Structures are given as structure tokens and as C-alpha cells.
Amino acid sequence: MVPRAEFASYYGRPVIKAPSWSARDIAGYFFLGGLAGAGSVLAAGAQLTGRPTLATGMKVSSLAAVSLSAAALINDLGRPSRFANMLRVLKPTSPMSVGSWLLSGYGPAAGAAALSAVTGRLPRAGAAATATAALLGPAVATYTAVLAADTAVPAWHGAHRELPYLFAASATAAAAGMALVLAPAPENTPARCAAVLAAAADAVATRAAKRRLGMVAETYREGRAGRLLRCAEVLTGGAAATAALMGRRHRPAAVAAGLALLAGSACTRFGIFAAGIASAEDPAYTVVPQRTAKGATAPPSE
């Protein structure tokens, strides 16, 4: 029998430098940005289909989410001026630069849409702001996946093709959950449909990412990341089924499903973050380039 391979690094130090990001700030930033962006899309759809309560609630929740998301990012940066410095130039090849400009454009649009919906003033300007926020929303919800995949962290970079789809599904689940909590039963049909689609897309994207990652996928199954992602799978799948079967007639069931969807989306973002940190710290995933399903190698170490 061939003994199990043991991986070691130079003087026992990590091969790549793990991101110094705070899990609470950056994983929370990922989650809140997704909730805001997908929520704006749902708000625009609700407004177009004559669901005013749902539209207003999602506009306000998107504004709150993007505000908290920006606060989490600035807190991790350490000083507000560092965020302002990122706006000095637009660099299309930098996900962080593009994301900073996206937030700067999306935030005011989401704020104007929410303010108009709450006060009832300037309806045309509010409609324009709602449309702008809905157009920018998908990019706001998914650019953080590109930001993570652009690093040398094996668990993120190795899934660079699937990660944006996974973040989009997770963001849609969060927005659908918020809509189920806020909307009355007669207006929650779009949220229930979105919950089912998001749960299915989340499951497919997660399996595809694990298949591509090969051995690195162990970081998605073990430790803190594994526990969080298993919780996310149970919460998202169970909530989608509950919303589809009982959300139309039973308001308490819709609210419970909505809260579970929000919790499942948060677990997904925090789980993916934890998997990335674990893969960066373990030489088993960085000493020897790992082969993916199609033969591509993992990113070079920094």
C-alpha cells in the first residue's frame, strides 16, 4: 500500500498569504450586498405588476442592506478615506475598483427609490431611480464573487466559473426571503417563485463548484465551512418547499420560510468565506497545483 501523501511547506509557513479580511465584515458585506442588489430587482418587478406593499418594503430593505454593506466594508478597510481613495480612478481590470463604483452608483439610486416610495413624492424620479437600481442590482449582487475568485485562494479561484452563479442564487434566496417576511400573502407570489428557483440554482451551482474543485472541495465539506454550508442547504431547500406549498395561504408559514431563506443565504456566504480561508491556510491545497475536472491547474501562489 502506498502511504498517504503528506504535504508540508517551507518552514511550516503557508504557501500563500490568506486574506486578512474579517469574516464578520467581509462575509457580511457579501451577504448584504447580495440582498440589496437582488431586492432591487424584485422591487422593480413588484412595482410593474401592481404590488405596492411588496415594492415599498423591498426598496426600503435594499437601502438598509446596501448601507450596512458599505459600513461593513469601510469598517474592514479601517478608515472611510480608503473607500474614497478607491474612487479616484476606475480600473476595469480590478473587481474592487469596479465594485466601489457600482456601490457609489447603486446606493443613491436605491436611496432615491426608497425615499420616493415612502413619501409618495416625485413618483417619476422614484420610478427612474427604481429602474436604475434594478439595472445595477445584479452586478452589485454578484461582483463580490468575482472579487473573491480573482485571488489566489484555491477554494475561490478554482470555482471562478461557478461562484458568480452561486452568489446570484444566494442573493435571490435572500431577497425572496425578505419579500416573504414583508409582503402580505396576496402579493408574495413572485417571492415564492423566486425562492424555488433560487434553491434549485443554489444546489446546482454548489455541486458544479465542488466537482470542478476536486480535492479542494474538501474545504466545503469539512470544519466550520462544511457545517455552515450544510445548514444553508437544509434551510434554503426546506424554506423553498414551505413557501411553495404553504406560503400563499398561511402568513406565519410564509414569514418562517422567509426567515429561513435569509439565514440560509447568510450561511452560504459565511461558509464560502470560511472554505476560502481554510484552503489558503492548508498546504495540502497549495503546495502542489491541484488538477480540476478539466485538467486546469489551481492558481499560482502569491
Side-chain angles (χ1 to χ4, degrees), residues 215-245:
M215 191 179 85
V216 182
E218 293 177 3
T219 59
Y220 283 70
R221 302 187 183 100
E222 299 177 353
R224 184 170 184 267
R227 292 191 296 271
L228 285 169
L229 291 173
R230 284 191 293 273
C231 287
E233 183 178 2
V234 172
L235 287 168
T236 303
T242 301
L245 298 174

Side-chain angles (χ1 to χ4, degrees), residues 270-288:
F270 278 82
I272 291 172
F273 184 89
I277 299 302
S279 70
E281 294 177 345
D282 192 337
Y285 308 119
T286 52
V287 170
V288 180

Side-chain angles (χ1 to χ4, degrees), residues 178-218:
M178 183 62 73
L180 288 169
V181 171
L182 297 177
E187 295 187 12
N188 70 8
T189 300
R192 292 187 293 110
C193 294
V196 174
L197 292 175
D202 187 285
V204 171
T206 300
R207 288 186 177 88
K210 291 179 179 178
R211 185 166 54 250
R212 180 180 298 277
L213 285 169
M215 191 179 85
V216 182
E218 293 177 3

